Amino acid sequence: MATTLKEQSIGFQVPKLAQDLIAGTCGGWAQVIVGHPFDTLKVRLQTQPSPPIYKNAMDCFRQLVQSEGPKGLYRGVASPLAGVGLCNAVVFMCNGEFRRMLQGGDASKVLSLTEIGIAGSMAGTVMAFFNCPIELLKVKLQTQDPAGIIGASGKLEPPYKGVIDCGVRTVRAQGPLGIYRGLGITLLRDCPSYGLYFITYEGLKRTFQYIKGPDQSLSTFDLLMAGGLSGFGAWIPAYPQDVIKSRMQNDPRIKSSLMAVRTLVREAGYKAFFNGVGPTMARAFPANAATFFAYELAMNAMN
């Protein structure tokens, strides 16, 4: 007897790779919507000249809103909104695939936290190749002054009109590899960062599950807490590299990561490696809570 359409639909299962891709995209969009204003403050604090323009994160917030209104906090959002969805899709897809590789074809095998960290670090390495150009355009748009930008020659140029204009002018001035400025330091940031990111998330989920007991499901609060705290875990091994990357990507006159380090130390001392850490940590919890919660919702819907 032929099966009905309803029976066919019940039997349909979205492939695991596609599930990771779709759920990761949903998580990325949620992350950008919640976290971009904090990211704008972070980047402006990281890239400000010496002597500094802003006293602290609140002063940066006040000046930005005063000069541009609330929309200034979402300056450059088009690049991450388009790109972070893709990047998150890539990192969750790669993370899922690397985990399945470590399981050796046994889907019932529970990976150790060390193995989860290895899969996350490998996914972060792949992610860096997507992150680098997207973040370069974001940094340029977030930090540009309405009066103009400093070009590679050191001369003042008109401000960028948007993401496409920024990308075209960057490639025109520095060649196709210009949008990959800072790739090396991005790799050094993302590889350890994503390893600890997934270790923290899975470790907290397992801890909450142990407290509740095997017969109880994790609550929304549990998932939000695990996701939010994983954001702190991701930044612990990565923040100084992020400052170096932002400096290098913002100023085309800085030719290497080592030059960026020397410039930072000469201008502001070693404390400069933690410029903007306040808004970063303020962003880490809500942005990553939203990321993992959206990811889990999408995965549950597909299962």
Side-chain angles (χ1 to χ4, degrees):
M1 183 182 293
T3 58
T4 65
L5 183 61
K6 181 178 179 181
E7 288 171 334
Q8 290 175 357
S9 65
I10 290 173
F12 176 74
Q13 179 71 40
V14 179
K16 288 293 184 184
L17 203 65
Q19 287 184 15
D20 291 330
L21 189 69
I22 295 167
T25 301
C26 293
W29 288 339
Q31 181 184 103
V32 173
I33 292 167
V34 173
H36 192 78
F38 297 98
D39 189 68
T40 298
L41 299 179
K42 178 203 76 171
V43 171
R44 291 180 78 88
L45 287 166
Q46 286 179 338
T47 58
Q48 65 179 326
S50 183
I53 300 170
Y54 312 112
K55 298 175 184 176
N56 49 42
M58 286 305 298
D59 183 50
C60 180
F61 173 82
R62 181 185 59 78
Q63 288 193 43
L64 185 58
V65 172
Q66 193 173 58
S67 62
E68 300 183 36
K71 72 178 188 299
L73 296 168
Y74 279 92
R75 182 196 284 186
V77 73
S79 174
L81 196 58
V84 172
L86 170 65
C87 284
N88 249 51
V90 168
V91 79
F92 278 96
M93 181 179 68
C94 290
N95 181 61
E97 194 61 24
F98 288 135
R99 286 191 188 189
R100 286 187 282 274
M101 286 172 58
L102 291 172
Q103 286 176 321
D106 180 7
S108 63
K109 179 185 176 183
V110 178
L111 296 179
S112 68
L113 290 181
T114 299
E115 290 171 321
I116 285 171
I118 291 170
S121 294
M122 292 168 70
T125 301
V126 176
M127 174 79 152
F129 288 89
F130 292 84
N131 251 343
C132 186
I134 290 167
E135 291 190 1
L136 180 136
L137 299 179
K138 174 181 70 67
V139 165
K140 285 177 174 290
L141 289 165
Q142 284 176 320
T143 57
Q144 71 172 345
D145 191 279
I149 59 165
I150 302 297
S153 63
K155 296 180 180 178
L156 190 68
E157 298 178 1
Y160 300 117
K161 297 175 184 176
V163 176
I164 295 176
D165 181 51
C166 181
V168 169
R169 286 168 60 181
T170 299
V171 171
R172 189 181 296 155
Q174 301 169 36
L177 295 180
I179 59 171
Y180 273 95
R181 275 176 56 82
L183 176 60
I185 196 67
T186 304
L187 282 164
L188 289 176
R189 180 197 67 174
D190 286 355
C191 180
S193 177
Y194 280 100
L196 196 53
Y197 186 52
F198 286 107
I199 285 176
T200 305
Y201 183 64
E202 292 295 337
L204 286 169
K205 280 178 65 180
R206 292 180 185 185
T207 301
F208 294 152
Q209 190 66 69
Y210 177 79
I211 293 170
K212 283 178 170 287
D215 298 330
Q216 299 293 318
S217 298
L218 293 180
S219 65
T220 297
F221 177 78
D222 294 330
L223 293 175
L224 289 174
M225 285 298 294
L229 292 172
S230 70
F232 296 138
W235 281 111
I236 288 171
Y239 196 79
Q241 299 97 298
D242 189 65
V243 176
I244 296 165
K245 178 196 70 69
S246 293
R247 275 294 182 117
M248 188 177 174
Q249 290 183 331
N250 181 59
D251 190 344
R253 294 169 297 181
I254 296 177
K255 304 300 182 185
S256 67
S257 299
L258 185 59
M259 185 178 177
V261 170
R262 288 173 176 167
T263 303
L264 275 166
V265 174
R266 184 178 66 249
E267 291 182 353
Y270 289 100
K271 69 180 190 319
F273 292 107
F274 294 93
N275 281 348
V277 72
T280 299
M281 292 306 171
R283 170 188 180 271
F285 189 93
N288 289 287
T291 299
F292 274 109
F293 188 63
Y295 173 82
E296 296 282 6
L297 282 180
M299 289 294 282
N300 288 338
M302 288 182 285
N303 286 325

